[in-house]
Amino acid sequence: AHHRMHTSTRSDSFSDPAAPRFVHELVERLVPDLRDQPAVVDGSRTLTYGQLDKRADALAHTIGQQAPDAPVI
């Protein structure tokens, strides 16, 4: 199975200190403009940026409940 993530960033994002360094930061930055656009496509399944952001938030909440004192997960 092929997995891919479509991202759209400025070409100078690597030199921009405010540019996202992690995938979740990139998704959060793109959600307002691309909420209903495809973010992840796997065969016939598609998640929009909004759906991906919602699932990521739920996962982060669950991890936080399971390991509230963990310094880094």
Side-chain angles (χ1 to χ4, degrees):
H2 293 282
H3 303 275
R4 59 189 163 146
M5 180 173 173
H6 175 265
T7 60
S8 175
T9 61
R10 297 186 326 263
S11 61
D12 65 341
S13 64
F14 290 109
S15 62
D16 181 355
R21 296 182 334 161
F22 302 100
V23 172
H24 73 277
E25 292 173 342
L26 177 61
V27 171
E28 288 173 353
R29 186 177 280 190
L30 295 173
V31 166
D33 294 328
L34 301 174
R35 179 169 305 281
D36 297 322
Q37 298 301 312
V40 178
V41 179
D42 178 22
S44 63
R45 299 184 316 178
T46 301
L47 284 177
T48 66
Y49 281 93
Q51 292 168 324
L52 182 60
D53 187 50
K54 185 175 179 179
R55 287 185 181 200
D57 286 346
L59 177 60
H61 180 76
T62 299
I63 291 171
Q65 287 182 326
Q66 298 294 318
D69 298 325
V72 177
I73 297 178

